[in-house]
Amino acid sequence: MAKKSNASIQQFAITLQSVVEETEQTGQNVAPFYEKLDNALQANELASMDKAAFQEIVAEFNDATEVYEANVTRLASVNAPIKMMGMYVNLKKHYANYAAACRQMTNSLNVEDQSVDLVAFNASGDIQEVEMDKISVSIQKMMAQSQF
């Protein structure tokens, strides 16, 4: 019985670490595309942006969102050690909210008419910021409790 428990704790730790690393890497990969879009929006130059450049931004946003959505499933596939269950429930909730906000932002981009629903875009950005802060706090609390 102890071996199964240690194996599940190890799987939990590996999955959590992998999700954290993949989230950081994905964020770093999509950041330049976000900055390019944000700069165009701030300068009111979205309409004059090259169509291929806008399509690339949308594709990158979608790819990143798919990674986050897959991570929601990965987080749901493992169980936390008993002493971390409450924190892990919070982490999963905040990560799912974060992924949903990323999907909302991606969906705010309209390739056909090269436009952005600014209300949805800005609201989703605000939600992402709040949820990422909560994810970070949850992970910090879990790491403080961990022995792995």
Side-chain angles (χ1 to χ4, degrees):
M1 186 94 167
K3 280 189 172 186
K4 182 173 182 170
S5 178
N6 287 339
S8 64
I9 290 172
Q10 184 178 18
Q11 185 60 43
F12 168 76
I14 290 168
T15 300
L16 185 59
Q17 180 179 359
S18 174
V19 166
V20 168
E21 289 173 358
E22 192 169 30
T23 300
E24 289 174 354
Q25 186 61 50
T26 301
Q28 290 172 1
N29 291 346
V30 78
F33 297 95
Y34 176 85
E35 289 171 20
K36 186 174 187 178
L37 177 61
D38 191 50
N39 289 341
L41 290 171
Q42 297 300 323
N44 201 21
E45 296 175 349
L46 185 64
S48 63
M49 179 184 279
D50 180 64
K51 189 163 186 72
F54 185 72
Q55 289 171 338
E56 183 180 26
I57 290 168
V58 173
E60 291 293 331
F61 272 49
N62 192 60
D63 289 349
T65 299
E66 288 177 356
V67 169
Y68 301 139
E69 290 168 341
N71 282 340
V72 169
T73 303
R74 290 177 61 207
L75 288 171
S77 73
V78 296
N79 295 317
I82 291 173
K83 67 181 178 180
M84 294 184 191
M85 287 180 80
M87 291 177 276
Y88 192 56
V89 167
N90 286 334
L91 172 66
K92 291 189 295 185
K93 176 183 73 175
H94 296 306
Y95 200 98
N97 292 345
Y98 176 77
C102 290
R103 176 56 62 198
Q104 179 184 354
M105 180 174 277
T106 299
N107 290 346
S108 75
L109 309 177
N110 186 322
V111 175
E112 282 93 41
D113 63 4
Q114 193 161 318
S115 66
V116 176
D117 176 344
L118 288 175
V119 172
F121 183 87
N122 291 331
S124 64
D126 292 344
I127 294 167
Q128 287 175 49
E129 188 175 326
V130 167
E131 294 301 330
M132 186 51 72
D133 288 346
K134 291 178 179 179
I135 289 167
S136 295
V137 167
S138 295
I139 291 170
Q140 288 170 2
K141 285 180 180 179
M142 290 171 65
M143 290 301 154
Q145 287 281 319
S146 72
Q147 296 175 354
F148 39 76

